């Protein structure tokens, strides 16, 4: 049985945050690891109560042990974890310092920092121009350079990001813009100021017109920032491609920018802002890039500094010492080999089921960029959440019926004989649509978003439902449709009526608003299934914006209030004899997945990267064990207690 003695690096010992991080890390491992103080009784590293009871202090030696396939890698992974000081945001002795953020995409990496620079600022007064002809040529060349750079990025980008980049390149090439710049330079304005002022005047006109046109202002801002950067000889404000593997640091990163990141070159992503369930976090995870958000300390990092990033614990170590680097690297290797092992184990089990054979559909969340990797996952039973926003975002006009039909058909053809649940457009909040302006909303998450968008733009839903129906007709996949952000039974009935009128046979809605969970029984009278979006259900239950990192404690899917709403919804499904799935990020947490099954959920849909561990976790537990974990988690007073009660239930059975 593999064993390892290791010194606890955390100065405060295995208490508070380091203990919680250790338990979370242990819960992700495919085998159970025990931890003991020298000569003491071994405790389960997945149990917070047992870990706290060890009373291990910084500098103490502990012994890790595990049994079964993958035990050695699991012990190595926890040993590497314990060898790092995980005290939140505290500098360490020596030259290394750490910054704490929220880990949103697991994995570890070490590399040099490359920052995403903000838009360049121009001094208030412009210098005089000596040679206006030369200055004009400089200005035009800068705009052309911007267009060419955007073309290059466009060619390398995935479909949804390419659209945005192509439209911006077209603005940079606009002859009317070039003319306005030329007029200003001829009047004596230096090139950077001429470009800035010409764009500013177009921008002001668009903003004054309001609505759809006002929303194009951001594209002009982008062209202005890029052209001014070229003229000043400073880097352009877009995800840099320095030509070597690096850790990308950004204040914030738009989902479209995240979608264009190359996982071979971006070792990890750290943002100063952002929240754990924002779409940037979800995209980073689907691309397999370790990511940390809400890391305020990262704002002070400079290009070239070496950092170690832990996308699980959210710790960013600046100037890690050589021992740190080798620990991170060996942990990365251990994680990679464990993932491969888990994938093998899971694949050999085929469809999702518990140890005693209770079937649970395991499905994938797909949002466009990750379609290729999802299609290759032959051991999933299909797509449980197709986020169709990828077809709509960054478009100047709505995609046509024919365009949509072709795009959906491409997805369905990759999943022959399998289920594909298509979610209709979920616009609003961080996914605005240029062609369907929702106007300024003081509180967009509580405003017109999701299915509410169609009150104002009914033709968008009609066209989408028709395109999905045509693409699915006589096609290879079993196509279901569902609507996001449904709050009432009237909305559910209206959506179901419309979908059925377009020929859809299996129609459902997402449960993302507490009123939908509380009213699940009535809603299930009018639809065929429901799928619980725990990301939004958490934000609305806890009244905590999912994009705000500072609220991460509230945004914990183990919150007992959330578990109770899920239990109610599952019970409504069981009495109606209709499926109840979970498609939020919670479904990808192996321990929580077992609890969800115990609560009565019938399918789990997750990022492809999470599937092997969830498959393996369910295969290790009987349905009764899942139910027992669920009962204990439901009875717990806090999220922390629910998590540890679920883990403890498992070890006691
Ligand atoms: C959810 O809210 O849990 C969900 C799956 O939808 P999205 O993350 O796309 O809002
Ligand atoms: Mg949602």
């Amino acid at each position: 049985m593999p064993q390892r003695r290791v010194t606890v690096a955390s100065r405060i010992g295995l208490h508070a945050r380091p203990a919680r991080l250790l338990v979370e890390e242990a819960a992700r491992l495919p085998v159970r690891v025990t931890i003991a103080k020298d000569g003491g009784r071994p405790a389960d590293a997945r149990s917070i109560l047992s870990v706290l009871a060890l009373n291990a202090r910084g500098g103490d030696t502990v012994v890790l042990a595990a049994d079964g396939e993958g035990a050695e890698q699991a012990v190595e992974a926890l040993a590497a974890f314990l060898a790092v000081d995980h005290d939140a945001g505290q500098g360490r002795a020596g030259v290394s310092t750490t910054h704490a953020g929220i880990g949103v995409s697991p994995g570890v990496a070490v590399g040099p920092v490359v920052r995403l620079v903000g838009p360049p600022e121009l001094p208030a007064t412009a210098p005089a121009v000596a040679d206006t002809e030369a200055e004009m040529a400089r200005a035009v060349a800068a705009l052309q350079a911007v267009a060419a750079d955007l073309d290059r990025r466009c060619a390398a980008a995935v479909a949804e990001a390419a659209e945005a980049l192509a439209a911006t390149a077209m603005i940079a090439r606009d002859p009317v813009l070039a003319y306005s710049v030329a007029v200003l330079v001829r009047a004596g304005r230096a090139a950077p100021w001429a470009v800035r002022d010409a764009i500013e005047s177009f921008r002001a006109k668009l903003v004054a017109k309001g609505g759809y046109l006002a929303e194009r202002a951001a594209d002009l801002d982008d062209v202005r920032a890029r052209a001014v950067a070229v003229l000043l000889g400073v880097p352009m404000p877009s995800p840099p491609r320095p030509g070597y593997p690096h850790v990308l640091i950004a204040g914030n990163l738009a989902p479209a920018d995240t979608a264009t990141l190359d996982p071979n070159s971006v070792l990890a992503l750290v943002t100063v802002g952002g929240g754990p369930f924002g779409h940037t976090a979800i995209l980073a995870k689907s691309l397999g890039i370790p990511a940390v958000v809400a890391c305020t300390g990262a704002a002070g990092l400079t290009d070239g500094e070496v950092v170690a990033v832990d996308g699980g614990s959210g710790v960013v170590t600046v100037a890690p010492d050589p021992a740190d680097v080798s620990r991170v690297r060996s942990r990365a290797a251990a994680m990679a080999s464990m993932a491969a092992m888990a994938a093998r184990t899971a694949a050999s089990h085929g469809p999702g089921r518990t140890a005693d054979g209770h079937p649970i559909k395991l499905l994938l969340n797909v949002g466009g960029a990750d379609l290729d990797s999802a299609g290759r996952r032959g051991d999933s039973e299909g797509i449980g959440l197709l986020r169709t926003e990828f077809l709509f975002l960054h478009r100047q006009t709505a995609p046509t019926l024919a365009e949509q039909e072709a795009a959906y058909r491409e997805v369905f053809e990759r999943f022959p004989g399998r289920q594909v649940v298509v979610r209709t457009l979920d616009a609003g909040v961080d996914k605005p649509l240029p062609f369907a302006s929702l106007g300024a909303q003081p509180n967009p998450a509580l405003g017109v978003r999701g299915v509410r968008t169609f009150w104002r733009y009914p033709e968008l839903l009609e066209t989408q439902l028709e395109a999905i129906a045509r693409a699915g007709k006589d096609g290879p996949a079993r196509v279901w449709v569902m609507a996001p952000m449904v709050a009432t039974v009237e909305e559910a009935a209206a959506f179901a009526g419309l979908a059925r009128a377009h020929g859809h046979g299996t129609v459902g809605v997402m449960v993302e608003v507490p009123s939908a969970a509380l009213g699940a029984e009535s809603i299930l009278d009018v639809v065929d299934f429901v799928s619980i979006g725990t990301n939004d259900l958490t934000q609305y239950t806890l009244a905590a914006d999912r994009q705000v990192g500072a609220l991460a404690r509230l945004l914990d899917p183990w919150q007992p209030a959330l578990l109770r709403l899920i239990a109610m919804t599952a019970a409504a499904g069981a009495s109606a004899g209709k499926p109840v799935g979970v498609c939020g990020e919670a479904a990808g947490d192996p321990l929580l997945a077992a609890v969800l099954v115990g609560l009565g959920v019938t399918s789990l849909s997750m990022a492809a990267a999470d599937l092997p561990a969830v498959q393996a976790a369910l295969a290790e537990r009987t349905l009764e064990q899942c139910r027992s974990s669920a009962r204990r988690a439901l009875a717990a007073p806090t999220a922390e207690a629910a998590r540890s009660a679920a883990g403890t239930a498992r070890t006691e059975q």
Side-chain angles (χ1 to χ4, degrees), residues 277 279 282 385 387 423 426 431 449 484-485 510-512 532-537 539-540 546 583-584:
F277 300 112
H279 285 87
I282 292 170
L385 170 64
R387 289 184 167 102
R423 176 178 75 184
D426 184 15
K431 294 175 278 189
R449 65 159 292 201
M485 279 294 295
M510 290 187 75
V511 171
E512 305 187 275
I532 305 171
T534 47
N535 307 337
D536 275 317
L537 189 57
Q539 97 162 329
Y540 294 122
R546 67 193 260 191
C583 64

Side-chain angles (χ1 to χ4, degrees), residues 9 70 80 141 192 216 239 297 307 329 385 393 442 534 590 602 644:
R216 308 276 38 85
V307 292
R329 295 219 161 110
L385 170 64
L393 295 178
T534 47
T602 57
S644 84

Side-chain angles (χ1 to χ4, degrees), residues 126-131 135 188-190:
V129 175
D131 178 348
E135 197 66 0
R189 207 105 175 96

Side-chain angles (χ1 to χ4, degrees), residues 105-108 262-264 266-269 281-291 370 373 607 609:
S105 175
V108 288
D262 173 7
N264 294 321
V266 180
L267 298 168
L269 167 67
I282 292 170
L283 270 170
K285 193 164 163 187
S286 75
L287 291 170
I289 299 175
D370 44 359
S373 58

Side-chain angles (χ1 to χ4, degrees), residues 470-497:
R470 289 189 190 184
K473 196 164 186 303
D474 307 322
R478 282 177 286 116
V479 179
W480 297 11
V481 287
M482 66 178 179
M485 279 294 295
V486 166
T488 65
V489 71
E490 290 95 327
E491 284 174 344
F495 177 77

